[in-house]
Amino acid sequence: MADRTKPSPVNVFPARRPTIRDVAARASVSIGTVSRVAGGSARVAEATRARVLAAMAETGYQPNAAARTMRTSRTRTIGFLIPDMANPVFSRVAIGAEPVLSAAGYMLFAVSSNRSPARELAFLEAAQQRQMDGLIVTLADETHGPVVERLGRIGVPLVILDRDVPVAADVVYSDHARPIETLVKQMVAQGHRRIALITASEKIRPGRARAEAFRKALAEAGLAAEERLIRSRAQTAEYGAAEAHDLLTGPKPPTALIAGGNEIFQGALRAIRLLGLSVPRDLSLAGADDRVLAELVDPPITVIDRDMAEVGATAARMLLERLDGLDAPPRRVLLGSSVVLHGSIGRPKGKR
Amino acid sequence: MADRTKPSPVNVFPARRPTIRDVAARASVSIGTVSRVAGGSARVAEATRARVLAAMAETGYQPNAAARTMRTSRTRTIGFLIPDMANPVFSRVAIGAEPVLSAAGYMLFAVSSNRSPARELAFLEAAQQRQMDGLIVTLADETHGPVVERLGRIGVPLVILDRDVPVAADVVYSDHARPIETLVKQMVAQGHRRIALITASEKIRPGRARAEAFRKALAEAGLAAEERLIRSRAQTAEYGAAEAHDLLTGPKPPTALIAGGNEIFQGALRAIRLLGLSVPRDLSLAGADDRVLAELVDPPITVIDRDMAEVGATAARMLLERLDGLDAPPRRVLLGSSVVLHGSIGRPKGKR
DNA sequence: CTGTTAGCGCTTTCAC
DNA sequence: GTGAAAGCGCTAACAG
């Protein structure tokens, strides 16, 4: 039996979204009090609070975020810019960051730039106009002037992932040098003298760091770095396949190959398969950033592996510290990478 | 030489973000005129427009999205909810939707629910409070009451992806029946009588649709569907591995297996590898939604393939039509799936 | 074509 | 502990 003394929870005129004013009227309090209850902060008499909460439930009140932002200039929103959201290496970062941020009351919104600096600029502009409270950013090309400039003026806490950008922001980056060094050493120890590297463009830190580490490791092994064996222009599967094919069918082909980058790794595998080469008999191989693939192909391939969710969680924590008012010089956090060994690195042909 | 008649583009007091009022003062016009120029819509004298644009550039003016939303109730923002952003099957949808939406002036913000209905609810609430203009949604569990209920009241244009939800919204879904039918027919034609299916939970349409199609195809082939050979409870790699292992080591193991779902496919492959089974000699196999993996393992595996970017582009177009005011009953678009043939389906053991 | 003005819904003093 | 009131920055009438 319906209790006629209680107002019906069904609104007769639900066209307009209820505002703080509707709730106030229903609870017979002022809008200030409703605001205090909604905000949860200031002290309100228990009985009043209960009346207001009931009125909120009955009207289906939802605070208007735009109005809040008008007053407070805060949105409880973090933007996450990634070059390619379909690449798990990037999207896993979001998986790691999200729980940290949501626990602190922030929503994480991911945007994929599709590796286009123009889209990156559009994102930064949108983030600024929407007054996002903080940003986590992975650039497609850290040499792009307008993007870097805009990042410098962004005016909100910013964490940059694995890029060297001349901007006063916190950075989380991965150790690319150590795994390359490990792999080169292992290949050299097996007797390889002609080792090739395919990796991302040197316009982004990972490509640069891997190429540099590669040259250094070769030098330390007493081997002359042959620039023809270093390919670092792009990070697509197509690029990986094309360069692998070119390397392996060219004069004096390498006996060992490091495919740095998950898409490059896929492409290189395809080229190797197409050429009918057997790993590690015809070619020793190491990949990166795709353990699943590495372990399911035959034979399983030794891979560089990174915990991208940890990258995301770390970035989120650093951002929260800034949002909490931390005023410190830009910080840089280096996260380790590991090498997962499988049997894909053997002795070069003719040396067994 | 500096032209003293022009105001300096460097603000002496840049602490506060310039507003429409600052621009108006600098251009010696009213704020209404600045608004008209910013909005780009109404007609403004060419000379005035130029002055205003100059003043905007000089002050570095950025419209305040919250203030605009206050007045217009629109945000030019579309929310995209996915169960797992690290799964390319989902994130490719965003890659397809983004260009369509950005061309129409909308930003696409992706949020990963991590398959948690609670996070889904949090997303829907955030979207509503932030007054997102439209939503594209993939639910983790279409039977979850509160989520479905909230979706029903969402109040903005909504496109649902590949789920059966009792809500008046447009839907884009994939054809799961046809590829399953194709695969079963091919397996039966090769002489298989014991065919197994591992697929997602029947709490979501893909799992249900595949399981139903599977039963139907078996019946049409005159085979009794053995429920023990149908596993449809989850969609993780771990689940795929566990069920594949159980099926293949149990009594009367199947001679052919369909692993529906990209993660299940990965897990099944791992189990098969662990058991030392050879495809297609010991087992005929088909996978789904991971062409790269299917083509790089040895032997390459026949897979069900879908163009997820096309799903995204279609959803985006449908959403835009609604945003443009289309008032029509909920629409359902079915997008095709294909089967990419490789040699992983052969004759059952002992029948060759 | 342009200026003036009234709020959009909310938070936050400031009184009481 | 609660109410009243100002105003965040903008758009959209409405005048002129």
Side-chain angles (χ1 to χ4, degrees):
Chain A
M1 206 211 236
D3 183 350
R4 254 162 296 133
T5 64
K6 276 190 194 161
S8 156
V10 177
N11 222 310
V12 188
F13 209 50
R16 196 175 48 81
R17 263 179 65 164
T19 74
I20 207 172
R21 225 169 290 275
D22 301 313
V23 176
R26 188 163 206 127
S28 310
V29 295
S30 73
I31 62 166
T33 299
V34 176
S35 174
R36 281 182 274 262
V37 172
S41 50
R43 53 211 88 266
V44 177
E46 211 32 73
T48 316
R49 174 188 308 281
R51 276 221 317 292
V52 171
L53 288 174
M56 283 177 171
E58 287 157 12
T59 53
Y61 171 72
Q62 291 275 105
N64 179 320
R68 279 193 165 162
T69 298
M70 278 240 82
R71 292 292 311 179
T72 63
S73 305
R74 321 212 318 92
T75 54
R76 311 242 70 169
T77 296
I78 304 296
F80 179 37
L81 176 67
I82 31 181
D84 177 6
M85 156 149 174
N87 187 334
V89 167
F90 298 125
S91 41
R92 269 184 220 128
V93 175
I95 303 293
E98 204 275 341
V100 177
L101 294 171
S102 74
Y106 291 89
M107 286 294 295
L108 180 69
F109 290 148
V111 172
S112 184
S113 71
N114 202 21
R115 303 191 196 281
S116 149
R119 296 299 307 145
E120 294 182 330
L121 281 173
F123 165 80
L124 294 176
E125 181 172 291
Q128 218 161 23
Q129 296 186 354
R130 285 169 174 76
Q131 296 176 80
M132 288 183 172
D133 296 330
L135 262 36
I136 302 176
V137 166
T138 305
L139 296 185
D141 171 4
E142 62 192 39
T143 69
H144 194 274
V147 170
V148 173
E149 203 173 314
R150 179 134 209 169
L151 266 184
R153 303 185 200 292
I154 199 69
V156 294
L158 169 67
V159 178
I160 290 177
L161 303 184
D162 217 6
R163 298 290 184 271
D164 287 323
V165 184
V167 157
D170 292 331
V171 185
V172 179
Y173 55 109
S174 299
D175 185 3
H176 299 290
R178 182 72 86 82
I180 291 288
E181 188 190 323
T182 304
L183 290 172
V184 169
K185 271 190 184 155
Q186 191 183 346
M187 287 168 169
V188 169
Q190 290 284 328
H192 292 277
R193 294 296 173 267
R194 299 187 54 73
I195 306 173
L197 171 73
I198 309 176
T199 189
S201 160
E202 299 197 36
K203 285 184 174 178
I204 55 176
R205 184 178 179 278
R208 214 167 41 243
R210 291 200 194 103
E212 279 168 12
F214 184 71
R215 293 189 185 96
K216 185 151 166 276
L218 287 182
E220 281 172 3
L223 296 176
E226 199 172 326
E227 286 301 321
R228 214 188 61 82
L229 296 184
I230 301 178
R231 308 294 169 98
S232 51
R233 296 235 168 286
Q235 50 198 310
T236 62
E238 291 65 40
Y239 179 74
E243 295 294 349
H245 185 274
D246 185 65
L247 282 164
L248 297 170
T249 58
K252 295 202 275 175
T255 60
L257 171 64
I258 301 174
N262 62 333
E263 304 218 58
I264 287 173
F265 176 34
Q266 292 170 10
L269 272 177
R270 188 169 302 132
I272 290 165
R273 150 93 37 114
L274 228 59
L275 292 170
L277 298 178
S278 162
V279 173
R281 204 192 56 204
D282 303 324
L283 176 75
S284 286
L285 179 68
D289 288 339
D290 192 338
R291 285 190 65 164
V292 170
L293 180 64
E295 283 161 18
L296 289 177
V297 293
D298 192 23
I301 309 291
T302 291
V303 278
I304 300 170
D305 188 45
R306 303 182 272 164
D307 186 343
M308 298 312 290
E310 180 56 28
V311 170
T314 303
R317 272 183 238 113
M318 293 173 80
L319 201 54
L320 285 179
E321 289 167 0
R322 296 289 183 185
L323 291 168
D324 284 350
L326 171 68
D327 186 19
R331 300 166 295 169
R332 324 196 119 236
V333 173
L334 178 68
L335 295 182
S337 304
S338 55
V339 173
V340 182
L341 294 174
H342 291 296
S344 64
I345 300 177
R347 303 194 66 77
K349 239 178 175 169
K351 294 215 179 182
R352 78 189 47 235
Chain B
M1 207 211 236
D3 183 350
R4 255 161 296 133
T5 65
K6 276 188 193 161
S8 157
V10 178
N11 221 313
V12 188
F13 210 50
R16 197 175 48 82
R17 260 178 68 164
T19 75
I20 209 173
R21 227 169 287 276
D22 300 313
V23 176
R26 187 162 206 129
S28 310
V29 296
S30 73
I31 63 165
T33 299
V34 176
S35 175
R36 281 182 275 262
V37 171
S41 51
R43 54 210 87 269
V44 177
E46 214 28 77
T48 315
R49 173 187 309 278
R51 277 222 315 292
V52 171
L53 288 174
M56 283 177 171
E58 288 157 11
T59 54
Y61 170 72
Q62 291 275 104
N64 179 321
R68 277 191 166 164
T69 298
M70 278 241 83
R71 291 290 311 176
T72 63
S73 306
R74 323 217 309 96
T75 55
R76 312 242 70 170
T77 296
I78 304 296
F80 178 37
L81 176 67
I82 31 180
D84 177 6
M85 162 150 167
N87 187 334
V89 167
F90 298 124
S91 42
R92 268 184 221 128
V93 174
I95 303 294
E98 204 275 341
V100 176
L101 294 171
S102 74
Y106 290 89
M107 285 296 294
L108 181 69
F109 290 149
V111 172
S112 185
S113 71
N114 203 21
R115 302 190 195 281
S116 149
R119 297 298 308 144
E120 294 182 331
L121 280 173
F123 166 80
L124 294 176
E125 181 171 291
Q128 218 161 21
Q129 295 185 354
R130 286 168 174 75
Q131 294 176 80
M132 289 183 172
D133 296 330
L135 262 37
I136 302 175
V137 166
T138 304
L139 295 185
D141 171 4
E142 62 192 42
T143 68
H144 194 274
V147 170
V148 173
E149 203 173 315
R150 178 134 210 169
L151 266 185
R153 303 185 199 292
I154 198 69
V156 294
L158 169 67
V159 178
I160 290 178
L161 303 185
D162 218 6
R163 297 289 183 273
D164 286 324
V165 184
V167 156
D170 291 331
V171 185
V172 179
Y173 55 109
S174 299
D175 185 2
H176 299 290
R178 181 72 85 83
I180 291 289
E181 188 191 323
T182 303
L183 290 172
V184 169
K185 271 191 183 156
Q186 191 183 346
M187 288 168 168
V188 169
Q190 291 283 327
H192 292 275
R193 293 296 172 265
R194 301 187 54 74
I195 306 173
L197 171 73
I198 309 175
T199 189
S201 160
E202 300 196 35
K203 284 184 176 179
I204 55 175
R205 185 177 180 278
R208 213 166 42 243
R210 291 200 194 102
E212 280 169 11
F214 184 70
R215 294 187 184 97
K216 185 150 167 276
L218 287 183
E220 281 173 2
L223 297 175
E226 199 172 327
E227 286 301 321
R228 214 188 60 82
L229 295 184
I230 301 178
R231 308 295 170 97
S232 51
R233 295 236 169 285
Q235 51 198 307
T236 62
E238 292 66 38
Y239 179 74
E243 295 295 349
H245 185 274
D246 185 66
L247 281 164
L248 296 169
T249 57
K252 293 202 276 176
T255 60
L257 171 64
I258 301 174
N262 61 334
E263 305 218 58
I264 288 173
F265 175 34
Q266 291 170 11
L269 271 178
R270 189 170 300 133
I272 290 165
R273 150 95 33 116
L274 230 58
L275 292 171
L277 298 178
S278 162
V279 173
R281 206 192 54 204
D282 303 324
L283 176 76
S284 285
L285 179 68
D289 289 339
D290 193 339
R291 285 191 64 165
V292 170
L293 181 64
E295 283 161 18
L296 288 177
V297 294
D298 191 24
I301 310 291
T302 291
V303 277
I304 299 171
D305 189 45
R306 304 182 272 164
D307 186 344
M308 299 311 290
E310 181 55 28
V311 170
T314 303
R317 271 183 239 112
M318 294 174 79
L319 201 54
L320 286 178
E321 288 167 0
R322 294 290 182 186
L323 291 168
D324 284 350
L326 172 67
D327 186 18
R331 300 165 294 169
R332 322 195 120 238
V333 173
L334 178 69
L335 295 182
S337 304
S338 55
V339 173
V340 182
L341 295 174
H342 291 297
S344 63
I345 300 178
R347 303 194 67 76
K349 240 178 175 169
K351 293 214 179 186
R352 86 191 35 240

